[in-house]
Amino acid sequence: MTEHTLTVAGVAVDPRHWIGGERVASAGTFTDVSPIDGRALGEVARGTPAEAAAAVAAAKAAFPAWAATPRAERARILHAIADGVEKRLEELAIVETTDNGALLRSHRRGVMPRVAHNFRFFADWSLTLDHEDFETRGHTNHVSWDPAGPCVLITPWNAPLMLATWKIAPALAAGNTVVLKPAEWSPLTASLLADIAAEAGLPAGVLNVVQGYGSEIGDALTSHPDVRRISFTGSVPTARRIAASAAPHLTPLSLELGGKSPLLVFADADLDLAVDLAVEQYDNAGQVCLAATRILVEETVAEEFTRRFVAKAGALVQGDPREEATDIGPTIHPRQLEKIDGFVRRAVEAGARAVVGGHRRDERFYAPTLLTEVAQDSEIVQEEVFGPVLTLQTFADEDEAVRLADDTRFGLAATLVTGDRERADRVTGRLTAGTVWVNCFFVRDLKAPFGGSRHSGVGREGGTWSFDFYCDLKNTVTAPKGWNDHG
Ligand code: NAD
């Protein structure tokens, strides 16, 4: 413990940067606030461009040795990090809930185990990347997956440690070094991860964490000439700024952005399943990029679907995310709540009807909301709200369903509920989306490609696709002759 240490829900958290294997204080700080009760959790380092540059320098200095470390040894250390995550799972879960307001039970049972799994999966997967050899006219082609160099990873607040480690694990497994910039609304678990990684034996400078506002240090990271990859998860406007900042050095980017995904319910669907999947979209208070926020229902079953949905949504418990019985926690920040409220008010002014919710409960909670009578070209149908707000529209037939589903600038995900396998195949083939779920939602294998089309992102991560991004692939062609064979 130092004079800087914060105690958050009984857990000691160092709020300083982690650069080159050392804690580094910043001249300035910002106040980190819990969305649960608005209480200040403490002062966190408010990074400067010079501190961001120091983190990149540390990552650059650590790169040659880490890149030269055998893959199996890197994998061993990543498994040791996963062990550390599992050992401190309870602490990580309560700190994350206190910091970002998502459900404690989800953090315990789903999110933090997935954080550990991120390390185990990418450690093991890195060992399957073959150094492939093939032959051309007697010449040998040898393909190698070389690490790219220092990577800047920038993450949002809605699933902080899960999204950070989904990037950190493959980047490190590939032999790169990392500078992580967590979101300023949920900075704490990244700091705990730095401790865990150091205890697991990750060499100094291989993982660095810089805290602070993206608007103040983002540019120093993304325009840095020594940065070889930038992986960003967040909003479209920020992605545009990052792309512009990375352009002078042509730094390769992976962008995982927002969505306005549809949930299509056909008349041949199991209606209870459809209602369950629709209500699930309120998870994490709707602050989920993949959320299917546009419910599209076939006209003939729309009334019955709505009746069942209203009953089920009405039974949801909104409250303290630390309570086992809670289904929906608070919104991350009063500013986000204001934004959500603005979207709903403008939609209602434009003619929408709130059949569920439609109002804020107080300054922290927005009531789960379902809006009907919304126009396809309206703001509420076209723009990401990132709150517990769903719209419901009806369609007459499959063609209209596909037309409505595909008619936004996003393409992250789509969910279909249907009892007809051929219809599922037909509709899936016609949709633009990185992930399509049929009669299910949110199930994902880390081997699969993940990402979005159009304004939902650039590139894919997951399995081999992550290594494709985090590696410089090299083909070495060797002639059959020309060796000095001295026996
Ligand atoms: P945001 O874009 O405001 O911030 C994301 C991160 O970018 C933060 O760490 C922030 O500090 C940083 N940042 C801000 N300005 C920057 C700049 N100029 N340069 C570099 N970094 C900068 O997004 P948010 O509000 O934190 O997150 C919500 C968004 O994230 C939603 O649009 C959501 O859909 C999206 N999201 C996408 C996925 C996905 O996998 N596709 C997952 C989760 C969230």
Side-chain angles (χ1 to χ4, degrees):
M1 301 268 272
T2 72
E3 51 169 322
H4 299 277
T5 309
L6 308 181
T7 303
V8 177
V11 181
V13 186
D14 198 313
R16 294 172 293 175
H17 307 306
W18 176 251
I19 298 175
E22 288 179 4
R23 288 291 170 185
V24 176
S26 190
T29 59
F30 67 93
T31 307
D32 184 32
V33 171
S34 175
I36 301 174
D37 49 15
R39 201 166 53 85
L41 299 172
E43 294 298 306
V44 174
R46 179 171 177 167
T48 61
E51 289 156 11
V56 174
K60 187 183 179 189
F63 176 67
W66 182 246
T69 302
R71 275 190 202 172
E73 173 60 8
R74 294 199 300 252
R76 188 192 65 72
I77 294 174
L78 294 199
H79 275 287
I81 297 175
D83 293 342
V85 168
E86 283 163 0
K87 210 167 100 202
R88 299 190 67 183
L89 194 137
E90 275 298 312
E91 294 182 16
L92 291 165
I94 187 66
V95 170
E96 196 83 294
T97 289
T98 309
D99 207 13
N100 90 333
L103 298 187
L104 181 58
R105 65 175 149 92
S106 308
H107 283 148
R108 275 189 181 136
R109 288 175 216 150
V111 176
M112 294 308 161
R114 162 73 192 279
V115 166
H117 182 57
N118 280 343
F119 285 103
R120 297 200 192 287
F121 171 81
F122 285 109
D124 293 344
W125 199 257
S126 71
L127 303 177
T128 71
L129 299 173
D130 283 324
H131 286 241
E132 196 179 340
D133 284 337
F134 53 95
E135 203 192 282
T136 314
R137 298 194 307 271
H139 294 56
T140 309
N141 291 255
H142 176 74
V143 179
S144 50
W145 298 71
D146 294 357
C151 302
V152 161
L153 312 179
I154 301 176
T155 47
W157 44 263
N158 63 324
L161 198 58
M162 201 276 280
L163 291 170
T165 54
W166 151 257
K167 300 177 188 300
I168 293 170
L172 296 185
N176 301 300
T177 52
V178 161
V179 177
L180 171 70
K181 211 301 278 169
E184 52 271 36
W185 281 350
S186 58
L188 300 181
T189 49
S191 183
L192 293 177
L193 180 71
D195 293 338
I196 290 169
E199 282 158 24
L202 193 72
V206 173
L207 171 65
N208 305 276
V209 179
V210 205
Q211 303 284 11
Y213 292 105
S215 55
E216 294 177 356
I217 56 171
D219 225 31
L221 294 170
T222 54
S223 67
H224 200 296
D226 291 333
V227 169
R228 300 311 317 138
R229 294 288 187 277
I230 298 166
S231 178
F232 169 75
T233 299
S235 64
V236 173
T238 306
R240 287 199 187 100
R241 280 196 286 275
I242 291 175
S245 167
H249 298 293
L250 300 175
T251 312
L253 290 170
S254 172
L255 302 174
E256 298 186 343
L257 312 177
K260 194 73 189 176
S261 301
L263 188 153
L264 293 93
V265 180
F266 290 93
D268 55 29
D270 170 343
L271 221 51
D272 285 328
L273 171 68
V275 170
D276 284 349
L277 294 176
V279 171
E280 203 180 322
Q281 309 307 319
Y282 290 132
D283 275 6
N284 206 9
Q287 302 164 130
V288 177
C289 58
L290 291 163
T293 49
R294 294 184 297 129
I295 301 172
L296 306 172
V297 189
E298 193 159 344
E299 275 165 11
T300 50
V301 292
E303 205 180 313
E304 180 59 15
F305 174 90
T306 308
R307 195 185 61 74
R308 293 192 209 179
F309 181 95
V310 170
K312 185 137 190 143
L316 291 171
V317 178
Q318 195 166 22
D320 190 324
R322 295 165 295 195
E323 303 289 337
E324 189 67 23
T326 300
D327 298 306
I328 304 180
T331 296
I332 183 76
H333 196 278
R335 223 160 56 217
Q336 185 70 12
L337 197 102
E338 202 52 52
K339 208 173 125 193
I340 297 167
D341 198 42
F343 272 115
V344 174
R345 273 191 287 111
R346 289 189 296 277
V348 170
E349 275 160 27
R353 195 162 72 85
V355 292
V356 179
H359 54 87
R360 60 172 96 197
R361 283 186 36 204
D362 53 33
E363 74 277 18
R364 271 180 267 289
F365 292 90
Y366 202 87
T369 294
L370 179 69
L371 300 172
T372 60
E373 292 164 45
V374 291
Q376 180 63 20
D377 62 357
S378 64
E379 179 192 56
I380 198 70
V381 169
Q382 294 293 328
E383 296 299 325
E384 184 184 49
V385 176
F386 225 54
V389 178
L390 310 178
T391 57
L392 188 145
Q393 296 166 273
T394 60
F395 59 83
D397 55 25
E398 204 174 288
D399 280 343
E400 191 183 13
V402 171
R403 187 177 58 73
L404 293 174
D406 226 24
D407 178 28
T408 74
R409 67 192 165 105
F410 296 103
L412 192 55
T415 301
L416 321 183
V417 198
T418 173
D420 182 340
R421 188 178 288 270
E422 284 174 19
R423 185 203 295 282
D425 290 345
R426 270 195 316 270
V427 173
T428 301
R430 295 174 67 189
L431 294 174
T432 305
T435 303
V436 180
W437 282 289
V438 181
N439 296 332
C440 59
F441 179 66
F442 223 74
V443 183
R444 252 187 78 212
D445 193 305
L446 298 195
K447 289 198 279 292
F450 176 80
S453 301
R454 301 179 183 146
H455 285 202
S456 289
V458 174
R460 296 290 184 270
E461 295 188 38
T464 302
W465 290 273
S466 289
F467 291 96
D468 206 29
F469 175 69
Y470 288 112
C471 290
D472 279 331
L473 281 157
K474 182 192 287 163
N475 184 29
T476 305
V477 185
T478 305
K481 295 190 188 125
W483 302 108
N484 294 321
D485 258 333
H486 299 298

